Amino acid sequence: MAGCSVLSYYSQAASGEFALLSAARPIPEELADPSVPAELKRRLELARKMRAFASAELALPDNRSFTTYVDLHRASAVWNVFATPELSLELKTWCYPFFGCASYRGYFDRRDADALAEKLAASGLDVYVGPVPAFSTLGWFSDPLLNTFIQWPEPELARLIFHELAHQVVYVGDDTRFNESFATAVEREGVLRWIAARNDPALREQYERHQERHADLINLLQQARRELQTVYQSAAPELQRRQQKQAIFEQLQVRYRTLREQRWGGYDRYDMLFRTQWNNAHLAAMAAYEDDVPAFQALLAREHGDLRQFFVEVKKLAALAPGERDAALRALAPSPAQAPVPVTMRTRQPTIAMTP
């Protein structure tokens, strides 16, 4: 039964990827097509410049990824399912031949993702289905630009392209946190260098405002994580821990609304994150992109910003046993007072062998 399940999962992933790649058109064809809207052409031209910048200035792979475009006629490329125990922030993992283990399961059809989510919820797990606007096939295929993100603000579009290409540099088959934290560190450095090269004061101001808001939001989520971990590690009766868990998530909603109104002046871009009730799986899925970023940033600083040498050192970390790798990252991480401020919020996660 397990073998059939894996085969079925691989089948939907392969058919979904084939359909996506079959529809891809090279950017020059899109630019030459008179039926393509002028605004889309402008965005594709901008993305092409970002792609060239990634290889020339960030030492990221120089291949055909993000040199084609696909309109999927839907809002997400894939949907990923995350699950945790009711009283834990530890994500459930799935293991696959060739690709190792990952803390998610991704589907090209939302109905398949929802079906798995219902089964997991029925077994007592906290479940989160996250929309994924983009993913990486780790260089196995030429990943295209998609309608799901091509219209994003310029810094957001740049960070996505840099992030996905970073996965082609280093990827550990059974360590989602390592992979995503590394790629997030690369994207942040890349965006800073892109903005510097653009020499656009308005673009820099836009990015700095986003950075400040994101730092506020991450602090909010980390506070909730700390409070939940304290509850889950306590010896209190199970019913009491459930009640405390519910109170913390309710308080998270209140704190967000207060932050939105009092500090952000009604800025509502993150409202979509809070339209549904948060749970352990939702919070834990976010953590994969943030936890080890300061350690990777410290390593890059140690290499004086030399990305090529940074990649060499990251590959050495990737080759370590899991326990040794974690210990090495902890040794690199600065104290909370020294840690760099987070820059961008990511709400998307990978499918198997297709990682954001």
Side-chain angles (χ1 to χ4, degrees):
M1 290 179 64
C4 291
S5 174
V6 170
L7 182 60
S8 174
Y9 179 69
Y10 273 20
S11 177
Q12 67 85 28
S15 61
E17 178 67 16
F18 177 76
L20 186 153
L21 293 176
S22 298
R25 284 210 306 173
I27 291 178
E29 289 186 19
E30 292 285 335
L31 296 176
D33 188 340
S35 68
V36 175
E39 175 58 19
L40 176 56
K41 289 183 178 181
R42 188 183 73 82
R43 301 296 296 183
L44 290 173
E45 192 66 72
L46 178 63
R48 184 159 65 170
K49 292 177 181 177
M50 292 172 177
R51 180 64 188 84
F53 182 88
S55 296
E57 304 297 332
L58 306 179
L60 291 169
D62 187 4
N63 54 33
R64 294 187 65 248
S65 290
F66 302 114
T67 64
T68 59
Y69 174 72
V70 178
D71 186 345
L72 297 175
H73 303 289
R74 60 179 188 261
S76 296
V78 292
W79 289 266
N80 289 344
V81 182
F82 300 85
T84 66
E86 183 184 10
L87 297 175
S88 170
L89 292 170
E90 188 71 25
L91 284 166
K92 173 181 172 62
T93 59
W94 286 267
C95 296
Y96 312 93
F98 309 114
F99 299 115
C101 301
S103 55
Y104 49 78
R105 209 160 205 196
Y107 294 89
F108 281 89
D109 190 320
R110 175 65 190 258
R111 293 169 295 182
D112 292 337
D114 288 341
L116 175 61
E118 289 177 6
K119 291 180 181 179
L120 294 171
S123 70
L125 298 177
D126 276 15
V127 180
Y128 167 58
V129 178
V132 181
F135 57 82
S136 168
T137 56
L138 309 180
W140 287 40
F141 303 102
S142 299
D143 302 321
L145 298 163
L146 301 174
N147 67 293
T148 53
F149 60 82
I150 193 63
Q151 297 295 344
W152 283 7
E154 184 174 330
E156 294 293 287
L157 178 60
R159 72 153 177 90
L160 183 146
I161 291 172
F162 302 156
H163 183 103
E164 307 305 346
L165 289 172
H167 282 308
Q168 297 183 22
V169 177
V170 179
Y171 183 83
V172 179
D174 58 355
D175 197 334
T176 300
R177 187 177 69 183
F178 179 90
N179 297 329
E180 298 307 329
S181 294
F182 161 68
T184 299
V186 173
E187 80 176 39
R188 292 177 181 171
E189 181 65 20
V191 170
L192 290 174
R193 296 187 187 193
W194 169 261
I195 291 175
R198 295 280 279 172
N199 194 26
D200 182 342
L203 184 63
R204 179 178 297 277
E205 183 180 355
Q206 174 191 358
Y207 185 64
E208 289 174 352
R209 284 201 305 269
H210 173 77
Q211 181 180 3
E212 291 171 359
R213 290 172 183 139
H214 175 67
D216 290 338
L217 185 61
I218 291 301
N219 289 336
L220 198 70
L221 299 181
Q222 288 177 339
Q223 180 180 359
R225 276 183 70 196
R226 290 191 296 269
E227 292 171 350
L228 286 166
Q229 287 170 338
T230 298
V231 169
Y232 298 155
Q233 293 169 2
S234 76
E238 190 171 295
L239 177 59
Q240 181 179 335
R241 283 182 286 155
R242 286 200 191 101
Q243 293 171 337
Q244 291 173 328
K245 168 190 173 182
Q246 181 179 351
I248 290 170
F249 278 117
E250 290 174 353
Q251 184 63 26
L252 175 61
Q253 295 280 354
V254 173
R255 289 169 178 165
Y256 170 70
R257 290 194 295 270
T258 301
L259 177 66
R260 179 185 184 276
E261 297 304 320
Q262 295 185 4
R263 184 168 169 83
W264 295 350
Y267 180 80
D268 62 0
R269 181 173 177 186
Y270 294 118
D271 281 7
M272 64 180 180
L273 294 175
F274 291 86
R275 284 177 184 152
T276 57
Q277 181 62 47
W278 280 62
N279 61 27
N280 291 335
H282 197 166
L283 196 60
M286 295 288 188
Y289 291 91
E290 298 292 340
D291 280 359
D292 289 333
V293 173
F296 285 109
Q297 290 176 322
L299 178 58
L300 179 58
R302 193 183 75 182
E303 301 304 325
H304 306 290
D306 184 335
L307 282 165
R308 293 185 186 279
Q309 187 57 38
F310 170 66
F311 293 157
V312 170
E313 296 303 317
V314 172
K315 288 175 182 178
K316 292 178 183 178
L317 291 173
L320 297 175
E324 294 176 339
R325 189 162 59 240
D326 289 344
L329 287 170
R330 286 196 300 271
L332 283 167
S335 66
Q338 298 172 318
V341 175
V343 174
T344 55
M345 185 56 160
R346 304 182 55 81
T347 59
R348 55 194 180 75
Q349 286 79 26
T351 62
I352 181 65
M354 302 172 186
T355 79

